[in-house]
Amino acid sequence: ASDIERFLAAFSSQRDAVVEAARQLLSGERAPRRQKLLADLIHNLSENILAEKRGDDEKWFEGLESRFKNKSSYMRYSCESRIRSYMKEVSSFISNVHPTARDAYKGIIDLMADKLKSVKYNGCYFDRREEEAARLCTMEGWFSCQGPFDRDDCPCKHSINPYSNRESRILFSTWNLDHIIEKKRAVVPELAEAVKTRDGREVNWEYFYQLLFTVHNLKLVHIACHKKTNHNLSCDKTKIYRKGKQNHKIS
């Protein structure tokens, strides 16, 4: 083991003593920078990451409805809420769809809604109890920023564990599930156009579903890595309609 590994091991084994010593130092500290370092140290060492039930970490649940009995159920609900909000945006766009195509557009919305219900709105992404392939975090609940839409990774190595303490839970709400191919600028308008110009072809609604609601097109990013600029990316024209099913209309 390296020196730093030995240091971290010793540090971890003496956690309670370190926390107490840091608290005593903080009580008399006046320099803002040192206050911040000590406060962060106490904060990180005092967290109760592995606790799951409300009774085992009451502080974590402060401000949440009593119906949430464990951390994972709340985190799951948090993810579901984001996905539901995307569905609302897709639904509300119907007023912009050509009048002759609105019934067909509504038909696709209904198919997507049924699919989302069947997978419980992909709440699995934030649930640390899920299988590794289904979640975006480790078994302990650590999430890593996946970087801006135009990069393969996060240059700053942002990470967070919203399961650890209340502050981290609240901060995690500022992390974004960012659409690589943009929802408002590209995916939804393209869906509306596809329905309008389908001319007897069947719209490949499952392709649009993937782009709107799944990690095929969603990246979890820290707020500093969430670029609000135009991504200038568009849907794959070869996937907009189903092949070999041109005679089957969506009505």
Side-chain angles (χ1 to χ4, degrees):
S2 66
D3 288 344
I4 190 66
E5 286 172 327
R6 281 193 290 271
F7 168 75
L8 290 172
F11 192 75
S12 180
S13 66
Q14 299 294 318
R15 188 178 70 169
D16 291 346
V18 173
V19 169
E20 184 54 37
R23 281 201 175 110
Q24 289 179 10
L25 283 171
L26 182 59
S27 66
E29 186 57 64
R30 292 291 173 267
R33 187 178 182 186
R34 287 165 62 91
Q35 282 181 336
K36 176 78 167 68
L37 286 169
L38 288 167
D40 284 351
L41 178 62
I42 294 166
H43 181 67
N44 289 323
L45 290 178
S46 301
E47 58 199 16
N48 196 356
I49 289 177
L50 298 181
E52 181 68 22
K53 296 178 181 177
R54 182 181 278 266
D56 296 329
D57 194 353
E58 291 281 0
K59 284 186 176 180
W60 192 92
F61 290 87
E62 284 180 12
L64 298 182
E65 295 175 39
S66 59
R67 66 189 171 103
F68 297 112
K69 305 301 183 188
N70 58 66
K71 294 178 179 179
S72 294
S73 66
Y74 173 76
M75 292 303 299
R76 191 177 191 94
Y77 164 79
S78 166
C79 188
E80 288 175 13
S81 296
R82 298 189 191 209
I83 300 298
R84 285 175 189 271
S85 73
Y86 301 159
M87 187 71 233
K88 284 181 181 175
E89 288 183 60
V90 180
S91 298
S92 65
F93 194 80
I94 197 165
S95 60
N96 299 305
V97 177
H98 193 276
T100 60
R102 283 178 188 168
D103 285 347
Y105 187 86
K106 173 123 183 7
I108 287 176
I109 289 173
D110 291 341
L111 289 169
M112 287 182 173
D114 287 343
K115 174 76 170 175
L116 282 174
K117 286 174 189 171
S118 74
V119 295
K120 298 178 180 176
Y121 294 89
N122 289 327
C124 55
Y125 293 158
F126 290 0
D127 188 343
R128 67 180 178 182
R129 301 168 301 182
E130 284 284 346
E131 295 293 321
E132 185 175 359
R135 52 181 156 84
L136 292 175
C137 59
T138 66
M139 286 179 66
E140 293 80 23
W142 283 98
F143 291 83
S144 296
C145 174
Q146 296 173 321
F149 76 91
D150 54 357
R151 286 192 54 136
D152 292 331
D153 57 7
C154 171
C156 301
K157 307 302 180 191
H158 295 121
S159 65
I160 191 170
N161 191 330
Y163 288 85
S164 61
N165 51 62
R166 180 172 175 267
E167 183 177 327
S168 293
R169 165 174 67 76
I170 293 169
L171 277 175
F172 186 66
S173 67
T174 67
W175 284 49
N176 201 275
L177 276 173
D178 188 31
H179 289 82
I180 302 168
I181 301 174
E182 293 169 283
K183 175 176 79 268
K184 289 181 179 177
R185 286 193 179 113
V187 184
V188 178
E190 186 69 70
L191 172 59
E193 183 64 19
V195 174
K196 175 188 164 188
T197 59
R198 67 193 187 283
D199 191 26
R201 294 171 292 181
E202 183 180 2
V203 176
N204 184 9
W205 68 269
E206 288 175 313
Y207 169 62
F208 289 99
Y209 170 89
Q210 282 190 330
L211 295 181
L212 290 164
F213 308 115
T214 77
V215 290
H216 285 277
N217 190 47
L218 291 172
K219 292 183 85 173
L220 181 68
V221 294
H222 183 279
I223 190 170
C225 284
H226 183 208
K227 294 181 178 179
K228 297 291 184 72
T229 54
N230 194 326
H231 293 189
N232 290 315
L233 296 171
S234 55
C235 301
D236 185 340
K237 298 291 185 185
T238 68
K239 295 180 179 179
I240 288 173
Y241 298 102
R242 288 191 193 279
K243 294 178 180 176
K245 293 188 179 181
Q246 281 84 351
N247 296 323
H248 180 67
K249 292 185 180 182
I250 290 178
S251 59

